[in-house]
PDB file of all heavy atoms in Angstrom:
ATOM      1  N   MET A  31       7.640   5.950  -8.931  1.00 94.00           N
ATOM      2  CA  MET A  31       6.970   6.520 -10.090  1.00 94.00           C
ATOM      3  C   MET A  31       7.391   5.828 -11.376  1.00 94.00           C
ATOM      4  O   MET A  31       8.550   5.458 -11.542  1.00 94.00           O
ATOM      5  CB  MET A  31       7.281   8.014 -10.170  1.00 94.00           C
ATOM      6  CG  MET A  31       6.842   8.725  -8.907  1.00 94.00           C
ATOM      7  SD  MET A  31       6.864  10.489  -8.977  1.00 94.00           S
ATOM      8  CE  MET A  31       5.457  10.841  -9.944  1.00 94.00           C
ATOM      9  N   ALA A  32       6.435   5.640 -12.257  1.00 94.00           N
ATOM     10  CA  ALA A  32       6.662   5.099 -13.605  1.00 94.00           C
ATOM     11  C   ALA A  32       5.348   5.265 -14.346  1.00 94.00           C
ATOM     12  O   ALA A  32       4.287   5.344 -13.713  1.00 94.00           O
ATOM     13  CB  ALA A  32       7.049   3.621 -13.552  1.00 94.00           C
ATOM     14  N   PRO A  33       5.381   5.293 -15.665  1.00 93.00           N
ATOM     15  CA  PRO A  33       4.117   5.354 -16.406  1.00 93.00           C
ATOM     16  C   PRO A  33       3.293   4.097 -16.181  1.00 93.00           C
ATOM     17  O   PRO A  33       3.820   3.099 -15.653  1.00 93.00           O
ATOM     18  CB  PRO A  33       4.564   5.423 -17.879  1.00 93.00           C
ATOM     19  CG  PRO A  33       6.032   5.613 -17.862  1.00 93.00           C
ATOM     20  CD  PRO A  33       6.554   5.232 -16.530  1.00 93.00           C
ATOM     21  N   SER A  34       2.034   4.131 -16.587  1.00 93.00           N
ATOM     22  CA  SER A  34       1.172   2.963 -16.473  1.00 93.00           C
ATOM     23  C   SER A  34       1.809   1.779 -17.214  1.00 93.00           C
ATOM     24  O   SER A  34       2.298   1.929 -18.324  1.00 93.00           O
ATOM     25  CB  SER A  34      -0.198   3.306 -17.073  1.00 93.00           C
ATOM     26  OG  SER A  34      -1.107   2.344 -16.659  1.00 93.00           O
ATOM     27  N   GLY A  35       1.824   0.637 -16.539  1.00 95.00           N
ATOM     28  CA  GLY A  35       2.461  -0.545 -17.141  1.00 95.00           C
ATOM     29  C   GLY A  35       3.968  -0.558 -16.977  1.00 95.00           C
ATOM     30  O   GLY A  35       4.652  -1.447 -17.487  1.00 95.00           O
ATOM     31  N   GLY A  36       4.496   0.404 -16.242  1.00 95.00           N
ATOM     32  CA  GLY A  36       5.957   0.543 -16.103  1.00 95.00           C
ATOM     33  C   GLY A  36       6.590  -0.367 -15.065  1.00 95.00           C
ATOM     34  O   GLY A  36       7.808  -0.320 -14.875  1.00 95.00           O
ATOM     35  N   GLY A  37       5.778  -1.142 -14.348  1.00 97.00           N
ATOM     36  CA  GLY A  37       6.354  -2.123 -13.422  1.00 97.00           C
ATOM     37  C   GLY A  37       6.280  -1.760 -11.949  1.00 97.00           C
ATOM     38  O   GLY A  37       6.900  -2.424 -11.116  1.00 97.00           O
ATOM     39  N   LYS A  38       5.460  -0.769 -11.599  1.00 98.00           N
ATOM     40  CA  LYS A  38       5.382  -0.341 -10.184  1.00 98.00           C
ATOM     41  C   LYS A  38       4.831  -1.460  -9.309  1.00 98.00           C
ATOM     42  O   LYS A  38       5.410  -1.819  -8.276  1.00 98.00           O
ATOM     43  CB  LYS A  38       4.502   0.920 -10.050  1.00 98.00           C
ATOM     44  CG  LYS A  38       4.983   2.078 -10.895  1.00 98.00           C
ATOM     45  CD  LYS A  38       4.083   3.291 -10.780  1.00 98.00           C
ATOM     46  CE  LYS A  38       2.677   3.131 -11.346  1.00 98.00           C
ATOM     47  NZ  LYS A  38       2.610   2.920 -12.800  1.00 98.00           N
ATOM     48  N   GLU A 172       1.098  10.192 -11.075  1.00 66.00           N
ATOM     49  CA  GLU A 172       2.098  11.258 -11.165  1.00 66.00           C
ATOM     50  C   GLU A 172       1.500  12.635 -10.960  1.00 66.00           C
ATOM     51  O   GLU A 172       2.153  13.529 -10.425  1.00 66.00           O
ATOM     52  CB  GLU A 172       2.792  11.204 -12.523  1.00 66.00           C
ATOM     53  CG  GLU A 172       4.060  10.373 -12.455  1.00 66.00           C
ATOM     54  CD  GLU A 172       4.689  10.161 -13.804  1.00 66.00           C
ATOM     55  OE1 GLU A 172       5.204  11.142 -14.325  1.00 66.00           O
ATOM     56  OE2 GLU A 172       4.657   9.032 -14.295  1.00 66.00           O
ATOM     57  N   SER A 185      12.312   6.596  -9.554  1.00 95.00           N
ATOM     58  CA  SER A 185      11.703   6.424 -10.874  1.00 95.00           C
ATOM     59  C   SER A 185      12.146   5.102 -11.488  1.00 95.00           C
ATOM     60  O   SER A 185      13.321   4.746 -11.414  1.00 95.00           O
ATOM     61  CB  SER A 185      12.119   7.589 -11.770  1.00 95.00           C
ATOM     62  OG  SER A 185      11.705   7.309 -13.078  1.00 95.00           O
ATOM     63  N   LEU A 186      11.200   4.397 -12.085  1.00 94.00           N
ATOM     64  CA  LEU A 186      11.539   3.123 -12.721  1.00 94.00           C
ATOM     65  C   LEU A 186      11.947   3.306 -14.182  1.00 94.00           C
ATOM     66  O   LEU A 186      12.239   2.342 -14.867  1.00 94.00           O
ATOM     67  CB  LEU A 186      10.350   2.156 -12.668  1.00 94.00           C
ATOM     68  CG  LEU A 186       9.863   1.754 -11.293  1.00 94.00           C
ATOM     69  CD1 LEU A 186       8.818   0.655 -11.394  1.00 94.00           C
ATOM     70  CD2 LEU A 186      11.023   1.277 -10.427  1.00 94.00           C
ATOM     71  N   LEU A 187      11.968   4.549 -14.656  1.00 80.00           N
ATOM     72  CA  LEU A 187      12.380   4.756 -16.042  1.00 80.00           C
ATOM     73  C   LEU A 187      13.860   4.451 -16.189  1.00 80.00           C
ATOM     74  O   LEU A 187      14.639   4.754 -15.281  1.00 80.00           O
ATOM     75  CB  LEU A 187      12.115   6.234 -16.441  1.00 80.00           C
ATOM     76  CG  LEU A 187      10.652   6.599 -16.587  1.00 80.00           C
ATOM     77  CD1 LEU A 187      10.500   8.079 -16.858  1.00 80.00           C
ATOM     78  CD2 LEU A 187      10.004   5.782 -17.696  1.00 80.00           C
ATOM     79  N   PRO A 188      14.262   3.833 -17.312  1.00 68.00           N
ATOM     80  CA  PRO A 188      15.686   3.500 -17.488  1.00 68.00           C
ATOM     81  C   PRO A 188      16.545   4.755 -17.561  1.00 68.00           C
ATOM     82  O   PRO A 188      16.075   5.797 -17.932  1.00 68.00           O
ATOM     83  CB  PRO A 188      15.719   2.727 -18.801  1.00 68.00           C
ATOM     84  CG  PRO A 188      14.415   2.913 -19.460  1.00 68.00           C
ATOM     85  CD  PRO A 188      13.449   3.434 -18.459  1.00 68.00           C
TER      86      PRO A 188
END
Side-chain angles (χ1 to χ4, degrees):
M31 302 191 75
S34 195
K38 303 178 294 295
E172 267 173 70
S185 171
L186 298 188
L187 289 175

